[in-house]
């Protein structure tokens, strides 16, 4: 189901785009409330002037700046939502989703929750019949991920015809101490985004189904080498299929 037909409603998320110098765009995210005001470099725009308008319209701020208003995509939300740790960027999340090849109804485990970016994309991928188990060791990251997930869900239900699935279980716990929890779970895939993923592998591999995929997000090649050494030294039943770096290059096409 797509966006709910009709204008913006209070409680929805709205994305304002402001054109800047050198053909750049500034994006501002807000949750609409009748008493609130959107502040931009070109002036302010009361939310009450947005509520009731159709997405895709251009409105002017108090300073005369033009703002294009529309509903944000999930990619835009995760890039603009409040952050604690550095998020996995959508380009990397997309690559990992293709690697693990999750389907509606799958059960997926992720560590750690971070700011909730991967949790949201996994939530959409497994659908209402699926399940995401999100482990996080830090209390502040755990609560921020839950907050960002709940904000997206509640705003989505106002602006769309369908409900966003409530299928993510956020767990405040060190995955290396969760062996007992894993005994009752069968995992279709695993996503590890943590400093020492080698500590999680002995815990999660007994629950990962035969042929299941574990995708690991690491910042540098030294961490990759440490992970592969641990897999070999501990004789863990994992095969390293591929190691990739995801690049993303934006183009600016302008008239000569």
């Amino acid at each position: 189901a797509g966006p709910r037909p009709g204008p913006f409603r209070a409680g929805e998320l709205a994305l304002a785009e402001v054109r800047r110098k050198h053909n750049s765009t500034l994006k501002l995210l807000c949750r609409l409330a009748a008493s609130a005001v959107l502040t931009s470099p070109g002036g302010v725009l009361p939310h009450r002037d947005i509520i009731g308008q159709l997405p895709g319209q251009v409105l002017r701020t108090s300073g005369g700046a033009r703002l294009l208003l529309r509903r944000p995509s999930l990619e835009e939300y995760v890039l603009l939502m409040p952050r604690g740790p550095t998020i996995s960027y959508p380009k990397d999340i997309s690559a990992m989703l293709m690697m693990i090849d999750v389907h509606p109804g799958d059960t997926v485990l992720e560590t750690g929750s971070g700011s909730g970016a991967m949790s949201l994309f996994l939530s959409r991928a497994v659908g209402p019949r699926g399940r995401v188990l999100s482990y996080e060791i830090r209390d502040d990251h755990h609560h921020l991920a839950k907050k960002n997930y709940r904000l997206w869900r509640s705003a989505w239900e106002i602006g769309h015809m369908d409900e966003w699935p409530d299928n993510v279980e956020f767990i405040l716990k060190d995955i290396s101490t969760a062996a007992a929890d894993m005994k009752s779970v069968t995992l279709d895939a695993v996503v590890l985004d943590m400093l020492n993923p080698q500590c999680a592998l002995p815990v999660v591999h007994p629950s990962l189904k035969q042929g299941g995929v574990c995708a690991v997000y690491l910042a540098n090649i030294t961490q990759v080498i440490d992970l592969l050494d641990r897999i070999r030294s501990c004789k863990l039943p994992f095969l390293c299929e591929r190691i990739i770096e995801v690049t993303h290059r934006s183009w600016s096409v302008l008239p000569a």
Side-chain angles (χ1 to χ4, degrees), residues 144-208:
L144 179 59
K146 286 201 299 184
K147 182 179 179 180
N148 284 333
Y149 177 71
R150 289 169 180 168
L151 172 58
W152 175 259
R153 284 193 68 240
S154 61
W156 174 276
E157 292 171 9
I158 297 171
H160 292 75
M161 299 295 292
D162 58 340
E163 291 186 0
W164 189 275
D166 186 11
N167 56 3
V168 180
E169 182 180 353
F170 292 96
I171 303 165
L172 180 59
K173 193 172 190 177
D174 185 347
I175 187 63
S176 64
T177 66
D181 302 352
M182 294 294 102
K183 289 181 179 179
S184 60
V185 179
T186 300
L187 301 171
D188 295 286
V190 173
V191 177
L192 304 179
D193 181 3
M194 52 190 294
L195 288 176
N196 297 299
Q198 51 267 33
C199 298
L201 291 178
V203 176
V204 302
H205 88 77
S207 298
L208 184 61

Side-chain angles (χ1 to χ4, degrees), residues 38-236:
L38 173 64
T39 302
S40 78
V44 300
L45 179 66
H47 286 194
R48 64 176 179 272
D49 292 348
I50 304 172
I51 296 169
Q53 298 288 340
L54 290 170
Q57 295 203 55
V58 175
L59 303 179
R60 289 190 179 273
T61 68
S62 59
R66 293 162 55 88
L67 302 183
L68 172 63
L69 276 299
R70 58 184 179 82
R71 292 181 172 101
S73 67
L74 180 57
E75 176 190 12
E76 289 163 331
Y77 175 71
V78 300
L79 290 174
L80 296 170
M81 68 187 184
R83 298 185 196 176
T86 301
I87 64 167
S88 301
Y89 280 84
K91 66 181 181 68
D92 301 311
I93 292 174
S94 298
M96 287 190 283
L97 287 175
M98 286 189 289
M99 284 180 172
I100 62 178
D101 196 28
V102 290
H103 298 82
D106 282 353
T107 298
V108 183
L109 179 139
E110 73 153 336
T111 67
S113 307
S115 298
M118 175 60 80
S119 309
L120 279 160
F121 279 94
L122 287 173
S123 173
R124 181 167 67 181
V126 304
R129 296 183 293 108
R131 184 184 180 197
V132 179
L133 303 175
S134 182
Y135 279 78
E136 174 58 57
I137 191 172
R138 286 188 50 165
D139 182 79
D140 53 343
H141 295 176
H142 168 76
H143 288 290
L144 179 59
K146 286 201 299 184
K147 182 179 179 180
N148 284 333
Y149 177 71
R150 289 169 180 168
L151 172 58
W152 175 259
R153 284 193 68 240
S154 61
W156 174 276
E157 292 171 9
I158 297 171
H160 292 75
M161 299 295 292
D162 58 340
E163 291 186 0
W164 189 275
D166 186 11
N167 56 3
V168 180
E169 182 180 353
F170 292 96
I171 303 165
L172 180 59
K173 193 172 190 177
D174 185 347
I175 187 63
S176 64
T177 66
D181 302 352
M182 294 294 102
K183 289 181 179 179
S184 60
V185 179
T186 300
L187 301 171
D188 295 286
V190 173
V191 177
L192 304 179
D193 181 3
M194 52 190 294
L195 288 176
N196 297 299
Q198 51 267 33
C199 298
L201 291 178
V203 176
V204 302
H205 88 77
S207 298
L208 184 61
K209 71 178 184 181
Q210 190 73 23
V213 177
C214 175
V216 185
Y217 182 75
L218 292 169
N220 58 65
I221 193 62
T222 303
Q223 291 173 295
V224 174
I225 294 170
D226 290 343
L227 175 63
L228 296 179
D229 284 344
R230 180 65 179 268
I231 291 173
R232 282 191 289 266
S233 64
C234 294
K235 298 181 179 180
L236 296 172

Side-chain angles (χ1 to χ4, degrees), residues 20-34:
R20 309 189 79 179
K21 293 181 180 179
H22 310 297
N23 206 41
S24 64
T25 302
L26 173 66
K27 295 183 178 181
L28 304 170
L29 182 71
C30 65
R31 188 169 192 180
L32 297 175

